[in-house]
Structures are given as structure tokens and as C-alpha cells.
Amino acid sequence: MVSRVIPVDDFDLVIFGATGDLAHRKILPGLFRRFKAGQIPATSRIIGAARTAQDDDAFRAEAEGAIREFGGVTGEDPQLAEFLPLLGYVAIDARGEGGWQELKARMRPGAVHAFYFSVAPALFGDIAERLAGHGIADDDSRIVVEKPFGRDLASARALNATLARHFDEHQIYRIDHYLGKETVQNLMAVRFANVLFEPLWNAQFIDHVQITVAETVGVAGRGSYYDKSGAIRDMVQNHMMQLLCLIAMEPPYHFDPDAVRDEKLKVIRALEAVPPEDIVRGQYRGDDADYLKDAEDPESRTESYVAMKVRISNWRWQGTPFYLRTGKKLRARTSEIAITFKEPPHSIFDDSGQPKANELVIRLQPNEGMNLKVMIKEPGPGGMRLVQVPLDMSFADALGPEGADMPDAYERLIMDVIRGNQTLFMRGDEVEAAWAWTDPIINAWEDSKRRPEPYDPGSSGPEEALRLMHRDNRRWREIRS
Ligand code: NAP
């Protein structure tokens, strides 16, 4: 099954922070892959901008190195030779006045203009102001901003206000790269393009939902940076919130940016406050890997793991808890959403075992796919014995080699920017609502004197998190890849 590649319009994309890690690892290799796929017109221009003084050729050499290292390109690649001339570079200090007129001169009238702010959020305002002040951006230009979008409601509001001084909401593309993952988009397809699930998608039939994002890596090397954030700010407020929204939202009237985002916003606004007893924080502590050493702060109370029980206060979800957990240095790297349905109200199979609850697991990574556990009769003689079996579908198997070769989230999202489609980007009010829910959780913790629960590196997290589930007569799914 070959997916159709629809070329985007001719564009000029300026990457502020083009010499940085994100540009090297994701943006430049992603753009090259889209070029290879035939989606980027050969007339398009990609202009790097950062303080480093260098000319176009030096930047092309830098970009080639990054694309080779992170884009899996080895040896001669004629398409790489065709791609590199699209690149150019202008030395610009976001806080200075040099370079902006040169940048303006490079922007071609008639092309789509997009500006990717792949720099620290403290520079967003400076860049936005200068783009507008020098007449480089106009009403049709788009800006792309990276996470973190604030570290609390007040800072997110301030950031939104800064951008709003120069750009309209329809021009602002706030990246949450989880939304660019194919399997995350698939959540909407599964729910709203099948008749099978939606009638059961409510508290009457769903016992609970588990959302897990587990990583095996720790924070060594970037611990002092991570320590200012922690799992709730780094993962829950944004990525896990987006997953929760896609699972819990009402069907939008149309797959249209504002229709989808309106429904997500309603979910966030319906989230109940989380009492302290429904949340467990952890830090990995061991001889080989120790969060406190990685964070370079023996007194740190920042969580590298969090598990919480979340309730959505609306008709659809009254009584169905959503359990979220995410952490570093866990047993396996995996992201999944598991929907556990209720048990059948009555069993007709008296002496052959109770039917177990159906479970739908949507695997986001690795091995993207879906697994639906259903009851069947155990084959063979011996009466009517029941057994639960998985209906297992890996998207790679089901869709063939092209299915396995899914575009990286960044590739998809950058092409959406050029197309002017904001569906997979967070709207300003969505981000603020997410912080409004998260702030009291973070503040209550900061006011308390408690320390995170220690857990062994390579484990499933702290014991306390198990108790959070046991208390409700439920169990976490095993963390495995
Ligand atoms: P980085 O490696 O530190 O790169 C920062 C970039 O900004 C460099 O190109 C730097 O180049 C440029 N820069 C710094 N000060 C500047 C100034 N005054 N004027 C113009 N350019 C300036 O950071 P990064 O990891 O790429 O992250 C960039 C953004 O993406 C951050 O907001 C980060 O939170 C976000 N993000 C990154 C990742 C990731 O995987 N790396 C993931 C998610 C989000 P010069 O020194 O040459 O000026």
C-alpha cells in the first residue's frame, strides 16, 4: 500500500537555531526525507539563521554532516547533492539588529514564508518582534515554536501574549511532536472512522484507561536542565495530555483544526483536580544510575517518574479513571494506551471460567499497532472452556514496507506548516488550560515537604505506584517493549 505524496507549495523556511541540536537531529534530516519523497518543490529555500558566523557553503557542509549522521544517509546520494543547494544561511543574533535586512532580501515574494523558532523560548519574543519590525513577516507568514511552551500558566500566558503582539493565532504553530506521530493520529482514525468502538467508548463500557510512556534512558548529561522541569512538566502537561484528549474527546463535527482543538479543550477543562493521594512521584536511585547525581543536586525533589489517577468530569467519563504514568530509567522503552472494557454483566458459561474483560491496546512505540484481547473457546474437546486471545495487528505487517517507513513526526508537522494546516498543533488556549490544570498539582508538591519515592533503575517504577492501582483493585500493565 503506497501512500500518496502530495507536494507542498513553494516555500521559504527560515530555521532560527539552525546550528543547534534539534535542527541537526530532526529538522534538517526530516526536510531531506520529505525532499526525497518528492514533497518539497526544488525551488524552495531553507535558510539557516543563528549567531555563528558562516556562509552558505559552510552551512551546507554542516547540514550534510547532520543529515548523514541522523538521517541514515551513507555513501553517495544524488538526491542529497540536489537537496543541499536549497539551503542557505544568514548570521543573525536574535537580540541584535544585524542580518535581518539580508534575511529579508532572501525571502521570495509569492512563496509560503515560515519561520521555525528552534531556539530557547526566551528568544521567541525577540525574533517575533524583529521579524515584524523589519517587515520580514506578513499576515500570511507562519511561525513554529518549540516546547517547552512556558513552565506554568503565568509564563505560558506571557509567551502567548508576546507572540500575539506580532502574529495572529492562525499563524502560530506550537509543536507537540507527539501529535505528529502516525499512531497518535491513528487514535482519531480508530475512533472516528470505525463504527465498532465509538458506541462502547464511555463509562458504561470502559472500566479504565492506562496511558504509559516509559523510557529506559536517564537524564545523565542534561540532568541540571531536566531538574528544573521534571516528569509532569516535561511529559504530562503536554504529550500525555494530548493523548488523553484524543482518547477522551467527543467526535469533532469535522477533521478541521478548530473543530478538533475545541473538543480537546473541552476535555482539558473537564479534568478534575488531582488530590495528593492520587499521585505518586519517583526518582531512580541506584549504584549505576542515580537521579540525584545526574541532577547534580543531592537535595533535588524533582520527579523522574510520575503516576496519577485522573478523572474527567463529564457525562461520557463519569466513573472511568484514566491512569497516567511516565518515567525515566524504566524497564523498557514503550508508549501505549490500554483501554480496559468492563466485564460482561453475566456469564452463561458457568463451569468453564468467567469471561475476562476485553482490552484494546494501542501501541505508539515500538512496533506500532493495535491489540484487541477477546474471549474465544479453547480449541479441542473437553467442553466449553474459555480462553482470552489477542487479535494482534502490527501496522508494519498490515501496511507492508511503506507502512513500516512512517514519516517522522517532525517531517509531517513541518509539511503541515507549509500547507497551513494547524490540526496537529496546540492552540494557545489549549496550552493555557493544560497549565491551569497542572499548576495546582505542581504547586501542592512544591509546598509539601515530601520527597519522591525511590525506584530501582530498570524497574517498573516505585512500589507506591503499584499501590495506587491496587487500592482500586486494578493492576498496571507490565512495562515491556
Ligand atoms: P541548542 O542545541 O542549544 O541550539 C540552540 C540554537 O539557538 C543554536 O543554533 C544557537 O546557535 C541558537 N542561538 C542561541 N542564541 C541565539 C541568539 N541570541 N540568536 C540567534 N540564535 C541563537 O538547542 P536545541 O536542543 O536545538 O533546542 C532548540 C529549541 O527546541 C529549544 O526551545 C528546545 O527546548 C526545543 N526542543 C529541543 C529538542 C531536542 O531534541 N533538542 C526537543 C524538543 C524541544 P548559535 O550559538 O550559533 O547562535
Side-chain angles (χ1 to χ4, degrees), residues 240-252:
M240 298 189 86
M241 178 71 79
Q242 291 297 327
L243 299 180
L244 174 74
C245 286
L246 295 177
I247 291 294
M249 73 185 188
E250 297 299 317

Side-chain angles (χ1 to χ4, degrees), residues 17 19-22 25 50-52 92-94 118-119 146-148:
T19 57
D21 178 66
L22 184 68
R25 283 194 307 111
R51 288 168 307 178
T52 304
I92 286 184
D93 181 340
S118 181
V119 294
E146 267 294 339
K147 87 165 203 182

